[in-house]
Amino acid sequence: MMNNKQVSALLNQLADLLELKGENPFKANAYRRAARAVENSRVALDELEKGPEELPGVGKGTAAAIRGIMETGRLEALDQLLEELPSGLPELMNIPGLGPKSIHLLNRELGVENKEQLEEALKQGKVRTLPGFGEKKEKKLLDGIQRMKRFTRHLLIHGLTVAETLRERLAEHPEVLQVEPAGSLRRMKETVKDIDLVVATKHPETVAETVVSMPEVIRVINQGSTKVSVLLRMGWEIQVDVRLVEPDQFISALHHFTGSKEHNVRFRQRAKEFGWKVSEYGIHDEDHEETFTFATEEEMYQKLQLPYIVPELREDRGEMDHQAEDLPQLIRAEDYRGDLHMHTRWSDGSASVREMALAARERGYEYIAITDHSRSLKVAGGLTPDDLKRQREEIDAVNEELDGITVLAGTEMDILPDGTLDFPDRVLKELDLVIASIHSGFKQDEETITQRVLNAVKNPYVHIVAHPTGRLLNRRDPYAIDLDRVFEAAAKTGTMLELNANPNRLDLNDRDLKRAKEAYGLNVTINTDAHSPEMMDFVRFGVATARRGWLEAGDVINTYSLEQLRQRLDYIRRNK
Ligand SMILES: [Zn+2]
Ligand SMILES: [Zn+2]
């Protein structure tokens, strides 16, 4: 069964392709409206009493499409369009600055059908003469194509969505005894190249047949009795490798395909000390012609007299050199008590303060901070000092009304290109929580940007610097910043750095987090930067990245009680 998000993704994709083909805009808009209605619906599609028509903005035609998706998992009109359009055309939408309408224009006017042809046309200066393009855009698109060539990995969130769908599906298969995702996805790496699934079965051919006949398969890369590889389209295109193994080999195979390669090398070296060999089938004692298999990964590590190492740590970053008692007790999802960075309709969020508070309470949080953008970020409807006062009244009222959740009044204030902050201290000091961050001037040199951030770190009223490197995975590299100087200043002042949990950001990344803790003794804060209640789910990616950075609950201030949090916030201001 497909969930609302998956259905809405298909509808949006269809709308894009209709525009890309140059169809009547009303048609595309109807699908987009329906997609939005499905995504925003609090009720799952199959629980709607009268069907999709119940949702606002869903008409007869779009309702039929939704029904089709629910019945077959596919959208026929979309499949047809994909068949019809040049296969390299849809992926051009991944180039920043290119929407479906401009791609249609490029195709109609210049016959562009894929990124190679687009690159050629750009280089020949043909594109800049088209309406709405120009030289600046030409350069941006060329950069975008370069980037696209460089980034071929998928965001973790995309990989997980596909892996979890497949895992649920395969788990229901009568011949599947066990199924788990492996690979970098299981290690919760920020991006993944493909999806690995390990399946325990006595009938590999039957399972392989099921895999290749799934409706989303667009190409079978390889079909054997131990491995099937397919290219799937489930919102996006991704390769899936399914390993088919004997039930008693399942754990060894899962361990083997989870990696990382570097960790496995260390694991094999360790086995060698006992005179054993490790493979995907088990640990072999060749002298005694014996193969050990395992019921759990814990047993496998035990066999080599090693403490159990969770997948997120298997990167050969020191995990094999620790005694059990020195390995970190990694932070868990249930340790997290409140989210300190989120937006509401006051700026560019989609919900009210009250709605965000209710959603947080539902998740079992004790507190949240509302941190809308500041006045200079006009594209996001940034707040003026007057707006902040009125918002504070609204927050007070919500706190008055709701038990079990405390809402802190905050801001996400821009650090301006000249290094000054968007609000004066007298405005900041009225707020419970002040975040500072960079949203402009990304191209400045390292010294300038580092100084901008240091100004914020040293300001007596700033508690947090959000998304400290500004990177967007697959889209924008980090700006030039000397993180060590920032870490040092943060250690001195107590100002906290953020791990922004948005799956496009994950900023700070796992390596920087580990270094911030080990070399500078820093605590961090994990926040989702949610622009809607659903986006608070991103905390999962934040916690996973923190685990990859070896962080324990005590390293993350969102595990504090409200009382401890307030003390910490006070301390930061008194300390500077
Ligand atoms: Zn931001
Ligand atoms: Zn934000």
Side-chain angles (χ1 to χ4, degrees), residues 448-496:
T448 310
I449 294 195
T450 306
Q451 270 309 332
R452 282 168 77 189
V453 172
L454 288 176
N455 287 350
V457 168
K458 290 175 186 161
N459 177 286
Y461 299 103
V462 171
H463 297 108
I464 294 170
V465 172
H467 43 76
T469 78
R471 73 160 177 182
L472 290 176
L473 286 163
N474 286 359
R475 276 188 283 161
R476 187 170 75 207
D477 288 329
Y479 37 66
I481 184 167
D482 185 344
L483 273 184
D484 283 285
R485 280 170 71 197
V486 174
F487 289 167
E488 204 178 319
K492 210 175 275 170
T493 54
T495 306
M496 291 175 296

Side-chain angles (χ1 to χ4, degrees), residues 311-347:
E312 295 96 318
L313 290 186
R314 297 181 198 165
E315 299 290 346
D316 193 22
R317 292 181 188 159
E319 73 277 8
M320 292 290 278
D321 308 318
H322 283 65
Q323 300 293 318
E325 56 277 16
D326 306 326
L327 277 171
Q329 295 285 323
L330 299 179
I331 179 172
R332 299 159 309 165
E334 54 268 37
D335 297 324
Y336 191 85
R337 300 209 213 178
D339 197 334
L340 299 176
H341 180 172
M342 64 183 68
H343 300 269
T344 69
R345 280 201 286 272
W346 280 88
S347 63

